Amino acid sequence: MIQRLRVRYAKRGRLRFTSHRDISRAVERAVRRAGIPVAFSAGFSPHPKISYTGAAATGVASEAEYLEIGLSETRDPARVRADLDAALPDGLDIVDAVAVGREKTSALADRLEASEWRVRLDGVHETDAAEAVAAFLGAKAIEVERLTKKGRRRFDVRAAVVALEPDRRAAGAADAPCAILRMVVRHTTPAVRPDDILTGLRQVADLAPPSPPLVTRLAQGPLDAVTGELADPLELDRGDHSPDREAVRPSGAGAVTARGPALPQSDPAASADVAGARS
C-alpha cells in the first residue's frame, strides 16, 4: 500500500435499508468495476484494504458515512471519487475523497466525536414535540434499556445529547404533517442512538409517534465544546497531527462544510429523509 484515501459517502432513499455487510460488498464490487488499484492484505486469505468507521444502522439514511481505502498505486482522489461513484448503485453516493498525507495524522475514528441527526416524526404535532424536548432537556438523567452485544444494559442518554430542538422550518416544508427534530449526540460507549433518545422522550413526556421515525445522519466529526457544532473530520485534526487537507471556508454554492458540498436550495434531493419517505 503506497496511498491511503479517506472517503465520505451517503446512503439515501431505499438504500437506507441496506445492511452494512451489503454496503461493503457493493463497495468492493464497485472498486473492481472502476479499476481502482486497491491494495490487499498479506497471508493465506488476502482481502482488500477497505475499512469503515462509525457506520449508521440499517434503516437509517446518512449524508456522512466514512471509509478508508488503501491503494497499491497513487491516484488522484477526485478521479477515484468520480469513478467509484459511477460504479456504485443509485443511493450510495460518493460525496468526497481526500488523500491521507505522509505526515503524522490521527486515526479517522478518533476524529468522529459526535453526530448530527435529523429525525422526522410523521403524525406528531410540533407543539407536542417541543414540549417533549423541553422535558428531556430539563431532566438531569434519563436512563433507557437496550440489548447490546454485551447483553441488556441500562445507560443515561441525557448526558450524550449536546443539542436537541424542533426544526419548525423543515417541518413546515415537509410533504405531510410531522415534527422534525435535530440533535447533536456525542459518540459514547455504549453508543447512544436516535431511537434511544426517542425512548427517553417517551419516558419523560409520553411522546409516541404513530409510525416509525425517518432518521438521517447529517454530519459526524470533531465536536466544538463551546458552540456544539461539528467540523469536517477531513479538514480538522486535534493536537499536533496534520489535517488531511487544508480547511475550506464555506462560501457560495460550491462550499465544503461538515455536511459536504453545499446543495442548491432548490434541489429537492437535499432532504434525505423526505426522499426516503417518498420512496
Side-chain angles (χ1 to χ4, degrees):
M1 182 177 70
I2 65 172
Q3 184 184 36
R4 279 190 300 150
L5 299 182
R6 287 175 174 170
V7 177
R8 174 177 177 169
Y9 67 97
K11 185 173 62 165
R12 298 166 172 156
R14 295 182 184 274
L15 269 294
R16 70 187 187 277
F17 296 113
T18 305
S19 70
H20 177 61
R21 179 173 295 182
D22 288 336
I23 287 176
S24 64
R25 289 172 178 169
V27 170
E28 290 181 16
R29 287 195 296 267
V31 165
R32 292 195 299 268
R33 191 177 300 120
I36 297 172
V38 62
F40 282 80
S41 62
F44 293 103
S45 180
H47 60 272
K49 289 196 171 184
I50 304 175
S51 58
Y52 300 82
T53 302
T58 303
V60 174
S62 179
E63 294 295 312
E65 301 296 286
Y66 290 92
L67 63 84
E68 193 168 87
I69 180 171
L71 302 184
S72 59
E73 300 175 11
T74 301
R75 288 289 186 270
D76 178 11
R79 180 63 182 271
V80 172
R81 170 189 173 183
D83 292 346
L84 187 57
D85 186 61
L88 283 168
D90 292 340
L92 282 181
D93 304 313
I94 304 300
V95 178
D96 200 2
V98 300
V100 181
R102 295 183 178 275
E103 299 180 7
K104 184 170 62 173
T105 183
S106 64
L108 182 57
D110 294 339
R111 304 185 188 186
L112 305 183
E113 300 173 345
S115 288
E116 180 181 356
W117 302 91
R118 178 173 56 212
V119 181
R120 171 170 165 159
L121 307 173
D122 285 301
V124 174
H125 196 277
E126 292 182 36
T127 302
D128 295 334
E131 292 176 353
V133 166
F136 185 99
L137 295 177
K140 292 184 178 180
I142 302 173
E143 288 193 346
V144 304
E145 188 175 89
R146 190 182 78 224
L147 184 63
T148 69
K149 293 181 179 179
K150 296 184 178 181
R152 190 165 293 278
R153 298 184 60 180
R154 290 188 64 84
F155 50 92
D156 178 22
V157 297
R158 177 62 187 90
V161 176
V162 178
L164 174 63
E165 62 181 4
D167 189 336
R168 292 182 172 85
R169 178 177 297 180
D175 55 352
C178 66
I180 294 179
L181 303 180
R182 285 182 181 267
M183 56 186 73
V184 177
V185 185
R186 289 187 183 90
H187 294 174
T188 58
T189 303
V192 174
R193 307 181 308 202
D195 56 311
D196 297 321
I197 296 171
L198 293 178
T199 300
L201 289 170
R202 185 166 61 250
Q203 287 184 9
V204 300
D206 198 27
L207 184 71
S211 60
L214 290 171
V215 181
T216 301
R217 173 148 56 193
L218 301 177
Q220 57 176 328
L223 174 66
D224 188 318
V226 176
T227 65
E229 296 180 351
L230 301 181
D232 186 340
L234 303 183
E235 293 177 354
L236 181 64
D237 201 354
R238 304 294 194 195
D240 60 351
H241 295 98
S242 301
D244 296 324
R245 66 175 170 215
E246 295 299 324
V248 179
R249 293 182 178 272
S251 61
V256 177
T257 68
R259 299 194 184 112
L263 293 173
Q265 293 183 354
S266 60
D267 188 350
S271 176
D273 51 359
V274 173
R278 290 173 179 167
S279 64

